Amino acid sequence: AQSVTQLGSHVSVSEGALVLLRCNYSSSVPPYLFWYVQYPNQGLQLLLKYTTGATLVKGINGFEAEFKKSETSFHLTKPSAHMSDAAEYFCAVIPSGTYKYIFGTGTRLKVLA
Amino acid sequence: DTAVSQTPKYLVTQMGNDKSIKCEQNLGHDTMYWYKQDSKKFLKIMFSYNNKELIINETVPNRFSPKSPDKAHLNLHINSLELGDSAVYFCASSQGLDSPLHFGNGTRLTVT
């Protein structure tokens, strides 16, 4: 079965430091890949997506992710963390040939002053 | 002009009761979904409708019944509520089956 693994349920970084949230998927065929962010008491919002084409994808709020087929990874990065980035982040895939989202278990990002 | 709105925001009820959650989207999307998020933030799809037709029905107890009167609305009715139904329920919509999801702000259901 297809799956999505997010390494680290909690990540803490200092304000201004690099943010790296990890996501790996299991699929022999590259799926569609997404990162969503969830702020407290809100629904998820799309940060960025990869379908085809350029493997480095830029999203909102300064985030970007790189699709690496050889590593089956889609890690999310941001050069400099801001306090407002504190939230829950979800990686998601739509496996090729299906129309069903599979979400990772989420990573809570904490930004320290 | 909220894109995906669901009501109520909070729902507290007793075991055995029947309750409904309503969802409306004004984005003109063809596809709507119900997701359940448990206390550990795990997000699982329950149902998906495309143009009012049920296309995804996960292994959800048949106490849960979705209804889509038109493309812009997808309601969720739950019969005989159980303690384990306590969760946050999210409605979402998308333009197509492989397009980004637009979520509502959730309905926090607490069954006592």
Side-chain angles (χ1 to χ4, degrees), chain A residues 32 36 38 43 90 99-101, chain B residues 37 58 97-99 101 104:
Chain A
Y32 289 178
Y36 286 84
Q38 185 179 27
F90 292 90
Y99 294 111
K100 199 161 67 173
Y101 267 81
Chain B
Q37 187 174 47
E58 289 297 284
L97 292 167
D98 55 4
S99 300
L101 298 170

Side-chain angles (χ1 to χ4, degrees), chain A residues 32 34 36 38 40-46 49 51 88 90 94 98-101 103-106 108, chain B residues 9-10 33 35 37 40-45 56 58 90 97-106 108:
Chain A
Y32 289 178
F34 305 82
Y36 286 84
Q38 185 179 27
N41 299 315
Q42 294 186 27
L44 282 70
Q45 302 171 34
L46 179 70
K49 65 176 180 178
T51 53
E88 191 91 23
F90 292 90
I94 298 178
T98 80
Y99 294 111
K100 199 161 67 173
Y101 267 81
F103 282 90
T105 50
R108 177 161 293 182
Chain B
K9 189 172 175 63
Y10 299 97
Y33 310 78
Y35 280 86
Q37 187 174 47
K40 294 186 179 177
K41 298 289 188 180
F42 183 64
L43 203 63
K44 189 162 191 274
I45 190 166
I56 294 175
E58 289 297 284
F90 285 100
L97 292 167
D98 55 4
S99 300
L101 298 170
H102 295 254
F103 284 83
N105 283 332
R108 183 174 295 275

Side-chain angles (χ1 to χ4, degrees), chain B residues 1 4 7 23-24 26 42 44 48 50 61 69 74 91 96 103 105:
Chain B
D1 50 329
V4 181
T7 54
C23 178
E24 175 181 5
N26 62 7
F42 183 64
K44 189 162 191 274
S48 173
N50 189 47
L74 180 61
C91 178
F103 284 83
N105 283 332

Side-chain angles (χ1 to χ4, degrees), chain A residues 17-40:
Chain A
L18 171 72
V19 175
L20 171 60
L21 305 182
R22 298 177 189 274
C23 174
N24 287 86
Y25 64 91
S26 65
S27 174
S28 57
V29 178
Y32 289 178
L33 296 153
F34 305 82
W35 274 99
Y36 286 84
V37 60
Q38 185 179 27
Y39 298 103

Side-chain angles (χ1 to χ4, degrees), chain A residues 70-106:
Chain A
S70 60
E71 299 176 8
T72 60
S73 69
F74 191 57
H75 301 330
L76 182 71
T77 60
K78 181 174 179 177
S80 176
H82 192 271
M83 298 298 286
S84 61
D85 294 327
E88 191 91 23
Y89 291 80
F90 292 90
C91 182
V93 305
I94 298 178
S96 179
T98 80
Y99 294 111
K100 199 161 67 173
Y101 267 81
I102 299 173
F103 282 90
T105 50

Side-chain angles (χ1 to χ4, degrees), chain B residues 6 13-15 21 24 27 38 42 45 48 50 52 58 62 65-66 70 80-81 83 89 91-92 94 96 102 106 110:
Chain B
Q6 50 183 114
T13 189
Q14 291 184 328
M15 283 174 54
I21 307 172
E24 175 181 5
L27 296 166
D38 64 23
F42 183 64
I45 190 166
S48 173
N50 189 47
K52 301 197 302 173
E58 289 297 284
N62 56 17
S65 53
D70 55 58
S80 304
L81 278 154
L83 291 176
Y89 292 84
C91 178
S94 67
H102 295 254
T110 304

